[in-house]
């Protein structure tokens, strides 16, 4: 709900400024220097695979999962494109990495940022528990299966140090959010690595690994093509966004 409210407020503000929209500032050519960074950001914004098993398992009608997945991605793409376009028309070359920072009124900006905090607090548990479950399955199932002993007591409750582990994960993510600057460039870097792995490489790799014997040659070639495309996008994106991140630190761009 808070996310919808934030988007409605920002779009409403942009529409009120329609008389000052910079139509001529929009360029339809592709900036090849920044395109890999943008691609990394876009891929990063669609790396929802880690949440999908949890979502499917909690659906009242899991048979509609594929339908939900298709249409949610289609509408997300449409909305994100329109949102970015409208915001750029409004703020033009002054558009900042965090769009709410472009709002001129301090009170208005504070209200929107408060909504963002509420939205973050409400949306944090889903990826948090999914990440913790994944890490605990790899690290804390007990020796010799995993490197560390189990964090669960015999009665099913978390041990004290297990609770400390989960709090540590929260603190670590908070520290990353507080101290890592240049968010959009960093998001492009992460998206170029984890995003391409999750969205391009691993799905095709495991598809080949599990279904190779029953696949026709055209599907196999297509999977390999997507893997190669993911590797190419990942390498170029990490190089460009890494270079941009270093340059941003060197010239002292504002965070």
């Amino acid at each position: 709900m808070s996310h919808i409210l934030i988007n409605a407020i920002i779009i409403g503000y942009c529409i009120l400024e329609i008389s000052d929209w910079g139509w001529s500032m929009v360029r339809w050519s592709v900036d090849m220097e920044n395109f890999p960074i943008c691609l990394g950001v876009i891929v990063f914004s669609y790396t929802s695979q880690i949440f999908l098993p949890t979502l499917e398992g909690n659906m009242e009608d899991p048979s509609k999962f594929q339908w939900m997945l298709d249409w949610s991605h289609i509408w997300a793409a449409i909305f994100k494109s329109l949102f970015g376009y409208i915001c750029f028309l409004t703020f033009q070359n002054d558009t900042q990495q965090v769009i709410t920072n472009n709002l001129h009124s301090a009170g208005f900006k504070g209200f929107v940022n408060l909504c963002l905090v509420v939205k973050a607090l409400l949306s944090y548990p889903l990826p948090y528990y999914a990440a913790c479950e994944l890490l605990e399955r790899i690290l804390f199932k007990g020796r010799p299966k995993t490197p560390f002993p189990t964090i669960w007591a015999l009665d099913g409750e978390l041990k004290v140090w297990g609770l400390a582990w989960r709090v540590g994960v929260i603190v670590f993510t908070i520290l990353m959010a507080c101290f890592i600057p240049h968010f959009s460039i960093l998001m492009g870097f992460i998206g170029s690595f984890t995003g391409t792995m999750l969205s391009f490489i691993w799905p095709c790799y495991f598809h080949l690994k599990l279904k190779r014997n029953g696949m026709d040659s055209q599907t196999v070639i297509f999977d390999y093509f997507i893997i190669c495309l993911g590797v190419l996008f990942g390498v170029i994106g990490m190089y460009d966004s890494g270079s941009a991140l270093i340059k941003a630190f060197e010239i002292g761009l504002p965070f």
Side-chain angles (χ1 to χ4, degrees), residues 221-239:
I221 293 172
F222 187 66
D223 277 352
Y224 277 118
F225 171 73
I226 294 177
I227 290 174
C228 293
L229 205 63
V231 172
L232 179 65
F233 286 160
V235 171
I236 295 175
M238 282 192 293
Y239 175 79

Side-chain angles (χ1 to χ4, degrees), residues 10 24 34 38 62 71 80 123 155 184 210 221 237 247 250:
I10 295 175
S24 61
N34 293 316
C38 299
W71 281 105
K80 289 178 181 181
S123 60
D155 59 359
S184 66
L210 297 173
I221 293 172
K247 188 183 297 183
E250 288 178 346

